[in-house]
């Protein structure tokens, strides 16, 4: 592991946490449940029946904000970020491993969606003063900053926070801001210093990239070979631009069409850098939209509408959208004749063609999906006849064939709110929530 630069620069505070599940009664129960699950999942059997039990839950969150939120699974460590801290838990037991809080009165205003190894990048700053003025690399195995560097902020935390920072290809990428635009709340940046990249291990500057004249970056994502950014140009047009991860050289730019409002309203969502996938529209319920995939040279290689023969994609729910292994997996709702069903649909991102479709729930019952290790794990409401109880289904990611079905015996969302994500760690299923008055993590195992 690389030398931790946090030992030199002295960033935020690290505090040891202790879990609530360390009693002697809990350990034998967990061991028994884990052994049963390992045996069942290892056989790859298609099981009907059974139920899920709660292994542990993280303490209820209060005073949530709509910025600084993120969730990662690194080895056997579950990590979540919110505006005031990043906290890590043992995935099996719920025991707290570490907590990181930004220094002074700073808040965490943005985090990278993905990890690179065990590292994420955060942007932090003052709510009332300079804004997001520092970018730091955080090691999720220790809770320590490896390095941090100044950033030109947009004045306060009202600047665009979505996808401000990203990691991939051995680098951390950030977009600077140089004051606020005169006609809307977008950051106005210098085109010659629009994007900066740093060595993820050391924080050493790697390159600075310019964007086309009249354009400013508003979202950024990074892959192994390229960095992509959503650009707002002349305040009327949206573009997607790709840069070489090695030197910042611009590879291509493609138009995403016109716009009438700033991008921060959710008009565009950047889902992936490799392949480059953008969701245009569809971020509010009932709003039309499409997922656009781009290949080499910026050529459009796939367009998947939010409505089609597969029904209506529930694109406004991030927990029902997954890009994995060259495919796009979506939760959709079908209302054909008298049949009302929720389904999972898989698309090939090289062509935009539908690969498979599988009905999984009554309409409105699909809660979240996860794609891990060649499996699609689906959590869905079984319908009004079952008192709101949920079902866990496991599908083959390649074909959509069902591998497993469990009637959980639980109403996962009762008094909890909408799921933000679904994670799978070995034999455990993890539901993720954001907001006040909810458990950020609830971890379940088969009983």
């Amino acid at each position: 592991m690389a030398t931790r630069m946090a030992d030199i620069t002295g960033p935020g505070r690290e505090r040891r946490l202790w879990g609530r599940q360390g009693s002697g009664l809990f350990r034998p129960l967990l061991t028994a449940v884990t052994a049963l699950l390992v045996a069942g999942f290892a056989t790859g059997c298609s099981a009907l029946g059974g139920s899920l039990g709660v292994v542990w839950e993280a303490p209820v969150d209060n005073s949530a904000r709509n910025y600084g939120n993120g969730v990662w699974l690194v080895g056997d460590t579950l990590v979540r970020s919110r505006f005031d801290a990043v906290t890590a838990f043992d995935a099996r037991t719920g025991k707290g491993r570490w907590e990181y809080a930004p220094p002074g009165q700073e808040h965490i205003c943005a985090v990278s969606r993905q990890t690179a190894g065990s590292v994420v990048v955060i942007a932090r700053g003052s709510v009332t003063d300079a804004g997001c003025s520092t970018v730091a690399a955080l090691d999720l195995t220790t809770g320590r900053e490896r390095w941090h560097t100044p950033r030109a902020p947009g004045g306060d935390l009202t600047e665009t926070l979505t996808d401000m920072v990203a990691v991939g290809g051995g680098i951390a990428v950030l977009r600077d801001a140089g004051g606020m635009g005169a006609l809307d709340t977008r950051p106005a940046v210098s085109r010659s210093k629009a994007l900066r990249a740093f060595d993820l291990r050391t924080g050493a500057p790697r390159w600075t990239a310019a964007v086309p004249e009249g354009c400013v970056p508003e979202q950024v994502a990074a892959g192994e070979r390229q960095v992509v950014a959503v650009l707002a140009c002349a305040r009327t047009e949206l573009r997607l631009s790709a840069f070489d991860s090695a030197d910042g050289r611009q590879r291509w730019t493609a138009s995403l069409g016109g716009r009438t409002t700033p991008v921060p309203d959710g008009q565009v969502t950047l889902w992936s850098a490799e392949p480059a996938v953008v969701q245009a529209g569809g971020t509010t319920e009932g709003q039309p939209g499409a997922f656009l995939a781009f290949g080499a040279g910026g050529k459009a290689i796939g367009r998947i509408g939010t409505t089609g023969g597969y029904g209506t994609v529930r694109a406004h729910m991030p927990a029902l959208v997954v890009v994995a292994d060259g495919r796009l997996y979506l939760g959709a709702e079908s209302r054909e004749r008298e049949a009302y069903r929720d389904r999972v649909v898989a698309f090939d991102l090289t062509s935009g063609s539908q690969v498979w479709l599988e009905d999984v729930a009554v309409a409105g019952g699909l809660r979240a999906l996860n794609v891990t290790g060649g499996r699609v794990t689906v959590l869905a409401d079984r319908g009004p006849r079952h008192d709101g109880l949920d079902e866990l289904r496991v599908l083959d990611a390649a074909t959509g064939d069902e591998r497993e079905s469990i009637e959980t015996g639980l109403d996962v969302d009762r008094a909890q709110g909408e799921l933000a994500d679904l994670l799978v760690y070995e034999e455990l299923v993890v539901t993720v929530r954001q907001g006040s008055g909810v458990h950020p993590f609830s971890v379940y195992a088969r009983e």
Side-chain angles (χ1 to χ4, degrees):
M1 181 179 295
T3 301
R4 293 192 293 269
M5 299 303 291
D7 297 337
I8 301 173
T9 57
R13 308 183 300 276
E14 298 85 29
R15 300 196 296 268
R16 275 285 166 192
L17 300 178
W18 300 102
R20 300 176 296 151
Q21 293 79 21
S23 70
L25 290 175
F26 177 79
R27 294 176 185 272
L29 173 62
L30 177 61
T31 301
V33 171
T34 300
L36 287 172
L37 283 162
V38 169
F41 276 77
T43 61
C45 62
S46 178
L48 296 176
S51 62
L52 294 183
V54 178
V55 178
W56 62 270
E57 291 188 306
V60 170
D61 263 346
N62 293 302
S63 305
R65 302 287 189 274
N66 61 358
Y67 56 84
N69 296 310
V71 174
W72 309 274
L73 177 60
V74 179
D76 63 352
T77 302
L78 276 170
V79 185
R80 64 84 179 233
S81 172
R82 50 180 255 154
F83 73 99
D84 57 351
V86 183
T87 310
F89 302 87
D90 184 304
R92 295 185 181 89
T93 67
K95 181 178 180 179
R97 289 189 161 168
W98 51 260
E99 183 175 272
Y100 162 89
Q105 300 300 310
E106 292 187 350
H107 279 196
I108 299 168
C109 49
V111 297
S112 60
R113 291 189 184 217
Q114 307 296 328
T115 65
S118 62
V119 178
V120 297
V121 174
I122 66 172
R124 54 179 172 83
S126 171
V127 179
T128 59
D129 198 2
C132 303
S133 57
T134 301
V135 167
L138 188 65
D139 190 323
L140 298 187
T141 62
T142 64
R144 296 175 180 269
E145 286 185 11
R146 289 191 173 188
W147 52 266
H148 61 251
T149 190
R151 173 184 178 270
D156 56 36
L157 289 181
T158 63
E159 69 167 301
T160 309
L161 305 181
T162 304
D163 295 324
M164 178 187 293
V165 290
V167 296
I171 59 174
V173 183
L174 66 93
R175 55 175 180 79
D176 282 300
M180 306 304 291
L183 299 181
D184 55 43
T185 58
R186 282 189 297 103
V189 302
S190 168
R191 64 177 295 270
S192 63
K193 298 179 180 179
L195 298 173
R196 289 190 291 154
F198 299 83
D199 186 283
L200 189 59
R201 183 177 62 86
T202 66
R206 289 278 292 270
W207 49 259
T208 299
V211 299
E213 187 71 39
C215 298
V216 294
E218 292 190 331
Q219 298 177 51
V220 62
E224 291 299 312
R225 296 173 299 280
Q226 72 179 15
V227 171
V228 295
V230 174
L231 309 179
C233 302
R235 306 190 182 219
T236 58
E237 182 189 8
L238 295 176
R239 300 179 190 174
L240 187 67
S241 193
F243 305 85
D244 193 292
S245 293
D247 57 14
R249 175 179 52 86
Q250 184 173 308
R251 288 182 166 185
W252 52 262
T253 298
S255 176
L256 297 177
R259 68 168 187 151
T260 57
T261 55
V263 176
D265 68 356
Q267 191 173 344
V268 168
T269 302
L270 183 55
W271 281 104
S272 171
E274 291 174 351
V277 180
V278 172
Q279 176 186 343
T283 52
T284 58
E285 189 170 5
Q287 178 191 36
F291 293 84
L292 309 174
F294 298 87
K299 180 181 178 181
I301 56 176
R303 184 185 188 281
I304 300 160
T306 53
T307 60
Y310 37 81
T312 300
V313 173
R314 298 168 67 185
H316 62 288
M317 297 178 64
L320 298 180
V321 179
V322 177
V323 177
D325 304 322
R327 288 184 176 179
L328 176 65
Y329 298 86
L330 299 172
E333 189 174 70
S334 173
R335 299 187 179 185
E336 300 175 357
R337 300 177 183 176
E338 298 302 318
Y340 297 84
R341 299 290 293 176
D342 273 4
R343 51 190 35 176
V344 177
V345 194
F347 297 90
D348 182 356
L349 285 173
T350 63
S351 63
S353 60
Q354 180 180 311
V355 179
W356 57 259
L357 178 153
E358 180 71 14
D359 289 337
V360 295
V362 297
L366 183 56
R367 301 182 185 275
L369 63 91
N370 170 276
V371 182
T372 301
R375 296 177 174 227
V376 180
T377 302
V378 178
L379 186 64
D381 189 330
R382 296 181 62 212
R385 295 183 180 180
H386 300 276
D387 195 28
L389 299 181
D390 293 325
E391 182 178 29
L392 188 72
R393 302 183 65 181
V394 179
L395 312 177
D396 187 293
T399 65
D401 295 338
E402 184 175 285
R403 291 188 176 186
E404 188 173 26
S405 177
I406 301 174
E407 297 176 1
T408 67
L410 298 170
D411 184 351
V412 171
D413 277 358
R414 179 173 292 169
Q416 287 288 341
E418 185 177 291
L419 297 185
D421 206 350
L422 183 70
L423 304 177
V424 175
Y425 172 66
E426 294 183 350
E427 74 284 355
L428 302 177
V429 176
V430 184
T431 58
V432 180
R433 303 177 183 89
Q434 294 174 353
S436 296
V438 300
H439 295 284
F441 292 132
S442 296
V443 181
Y444 304 90
R446 190 192 316 188
E447 295 183 326

